[in-house]
Amino acid sequence: MTAAVFFGCTFIAFGPALSLFLFTIARDPLRVIFLIAGAFFWLVSLLLSSLVWFISVQISNKDSATQQKGLLIFGVVLSVLLQETFRFGYFKLLKKANEGLLALSQEETMPISIRQLAYVSGLGFGFMSGAFSVVNILADSVGPGTVGIHGDSQHYFLSSAFMTMAIILLHMFWGVVFFDACEKKRWWAVAIVVLSHLVISCLTFQNPQYVNSLVPTYVLLFLMGIWAFYCAGGSLRNLKLCLTCKDTDFLLANHRPR
């Protein structure tokens, strides 16, 4: 493998999310802080699930392939449940923090809306999840070795990059839908987010049959994207106005003095 594979897969995996960060978050210090905090919450959830899984492996029968596979499935399910638990905890924390910021602010409105917090925290979860998902794969892509030399798929790195990109964007969409559901107490929507996260994680067990994992993942990504768009207050009308640069509220909100 060459450096071109490394940089190509990195660009595919993190390109869209990095663009969103640069254009919508990087210029606002408050958003950057909340994004880093979201990434930290995801990291803590991973630490706890890894600790439980490690202890479970140590006390299990390491010679039993069936038991080890069961522990792997258990680890995935536990990790997802802990991630969503920490997402809920982060939502509660942000609600309290936003109320504090409003009390300290000279303005009558909150300095950052709950919808913006949902987007920023979701992207923070996604960045950290994507980094841990693909960092070892990218390290292996520079060699030595040849992918598929024993008849395996030669699309391992490319498929991993596309899966990582989908996971990052899904975390962003899950964050928007999850926060909106908690705000409106729609617990059925929270359950759907958790279930869809479990489905996506379990689809990775289909690898190396990458079509069986990537196609359903991107179908779910498309559906969650539409749902998140409407949860964020979007509609076909304002989407059309935005694309044709006729949305005066959007233009004024994003105006910067030169």
Side-chain angles (χ1 to χ4, degrees), residues 13 33 96 205 224 247:
I33 292 171
K96 293 293 183 182
F205 290 122
M224 289 300 301
D247 191 342

Side-chain angles (χ1 to χ4, degrees), residues 177-178 180-191 227 231:
V177 175
F178 191 97
D180 180 74
C182 291
E183 184 77 4
K184 298 176 180 177
K185 299 188 185 304
R186 295 176 177 173
W187 305 120
W188 58 268
V190 172
W227 192 1
C231 286

Side-chain angles (χ1 to χ4, degrees), residues 193-211:
V193 170
V194 176
L195 287 174
S196 63
H197 195 170
L198 282 169
V199 168
I200 293 298
S201 298
C202 291
L203 280 173
T204 58
F205 290 122
Q206 295 291 324
N207 295 338
Q209 303 298 324
Y210 298 114
V211 174

Side-chain angles (χ1 to χ4, degrees), residues 28-209:
D28 190 326
L30 197 58
R31 295 182 185 181
V32 173
I33 292 171
F34 284 126
L35 181 138
I36 294 172
F40 175 75
F41 267 69
W42 186 92
L43 191 60
V44 174
S45 73
L46 178 68
L47 177 63
L48 289 178
S49 59
S50 300
L51 181 62
V52 173
W53 180 79
F54 177 78
I55 294 173
S56 301
V57 170
Q58 294 303 311
I59 63 176
S60 66
N61 181 9
K62 296 182 180 180
D63 296 326
S64 174
T66 303
Q67 194 173 109
Q68 294 304 310
K69 184 177 181 180
L71 284 174
L72 181 61
I73 296 173
F74 164 75
V76 170
V77 173
L78 176 66
S79 178
V80 169
L81 294 178
L82 280 175
Q83 286 177 51
E84 298 305 330
T85 300
F86 272 79
R87 197 193 303 273
F88 180 74
Y90 192 43
F91 165 77
K92 288 292 189 182
L93 180 64
L94 289 179
K95 287 284 289 184
K96 293 293 183 182
N98 225 8
E99 292 171 3
L101 289 172
L102 180 60
L104 295 173
S105 177
Q106 300 293 330
E107 302 177 0
E108 295 182 357
T109 57
M110 291 185 179
I112 182 170
S113 69
I114 194 66
R115 287 174 176 173
Q116 291 173 332
L117 287 173
Y119 160 69
V120 171
S121 64
L123 196 57
F125 269 61
F127 266 125
M128 191 57 68
S129 175
F132 273 83
S133 297
V134 82
V135 63
N136 289 332
I137 296 172
L138 291 176
D140 290 339
S141 68
V142 296
T146 302
V147 176
I149 194 171
H150 295 298
D152 299 322
S153 173
Q154 297 187 9
H155 305 299
Y156 172 65
F157 295 119
L158 191 62
S159 301
S160 299
F162 275 106
M163 179 61 81
T164 300
M165 180 180 69
I167 291 294
I168 294 173
L169 296 177
L170 275 169
H171 268 292
M172 184 180 70
F173 296 150
W174 284 329
V176 172
V177 175
F178 191 97
F179 277 40
D180 180 74
C182 291
E183 184 77 4
K184 298 176 180 177
K185 299 188 185 304
R186 295 176 177 173
W187 305 120
W188 58 268
V190 172
I192 290 176
V193 170
V194 176
L195 287 174
S196 63
H197 195 170
L198 282 169
V199 168
I200 293 298
S201 298
C202 291
L203 280 173
T204 58
F205 290 122
Q206 295 291 324
N207 295 338
Q209 303 298 324

